[in-house]
Amino acid sequence: MNERRAERMERRGFDYLLLAAALVLLGLGLVMVLSASGVMAEKYMGNKYHFFIRQAGFSVAGLFIMTIAWVFPRERLYSLSYLWIVGAVFLLALALWSPLRHEANGAFRWLRLGSFVMQPLELAKLALVVYLASFYSAKQDLLGRFSVAMVPPLLVTGILAGLLLMQPDFGGASFLFLLMLLMALAGGVRLTHLGAVGIAAACAAVVLVSQSPNRMRRVFAFVDPFVDPLDTGYQLVQSLYALGSGHIFGVGLGAGKQKLFFLPEAHNDFLVAVIGEELGFIGVSALFLLVGVLLWRGFVIAWSRSDLRDRLFAFGLTSVLGLGFVLNMAVVLGAAPPKGVPMPFLSYGGSNLVVSFATLGLLLNLSRNEG
């Protein structure tokens, strides 16, 4: 069955459905960024198309990067796996201790390069996937030993996560640990080893959250946002108001009211709430369908590869997108504590959009008939 799937993919040349789903998501994202940001952009930037124009520029850059990733030799990519990690550590360190660091709301998570602000976390996700795919494919005979199966990945992930926690970015560090656990599971690590690491990570998370008043406020806002709807629960309350206002068919494209300075980050992390208000249950369902198609095709690519390293790489790339989709929607729907997780291909922002397209290009590369 695996061989038949591979043969069908080879005859197709590349995965058309994967590309089509991503491009439709991009088109939807551009339309909704324009709708969600117009009023705010006109007030603060003097041009209601400001964020839309920038997002369109990021989209062009992303498509260019996707094309390069689509044809880039995978062996060369794998051979540089440790260099990717070193580069990610270097960029995260620059965000903390260099003149290029950019501060927002008391956090140093970005690098300012002229008019462009880059978030190194997005590149760290890809670097970790490349490293773990190479590591677990090469250590299959030694996965029964905890010192081999978990210690090196934990060390690498811990270094990246430690730098993120210093920024501080608890959500980004959690994302990388979740990604590592998923790839360890796919790589064949024993469930007992994964369980032990998962329990230890959960205990560490509880300690980190309990020691931070800001994180504790986020947790309380998640548990019951209506207890303090004007402060700690404000974002989630406004998101739920937006989603509830949309009903079945929505209030109409551009007619939403929550984006009018009520819903923070309406064009960014909470863009799905705007979709729910303006396009209703039908629009959100269509979004879920597109996300489902994209993830389905990504996992099909992973399953169809005969080479274990390619299979793990495709699984990791799909997991990067999948975690972004799931965590963003969980926050918007009130199923997870509020945290800035952008929606791949939709949310405003250059770093996430460009890296999402790089991820897409690498998946298309893996779906090609050289695989």
Side-chain angles (χ1 to χ4, degrees), residues 300-322:
V300 165
I301 292 170
W303 178 253
S304 67
R305 295 300 86 197
S306 57
D307 180 76
L308 180 60
R309 185 168 53 179
D310 284 347
R311 188 179 301 173
L312 290 173
F313 189 38
F315 177 86
L317 293 170
T318 307
S319 296
V320 168
L321 295 176

Side-chain angles (χ1 to χ4, degrees), residues 18-28 63 66 294 345 357 360:
L18 175 70
L19 179 60
L23 292 179
V24 174
L25 282 172
L26 173 66
L28 175 63
L63 290 168
M66 180 196 75
L294 192 149
F345 300 109
F357 270 111
L360 175 66

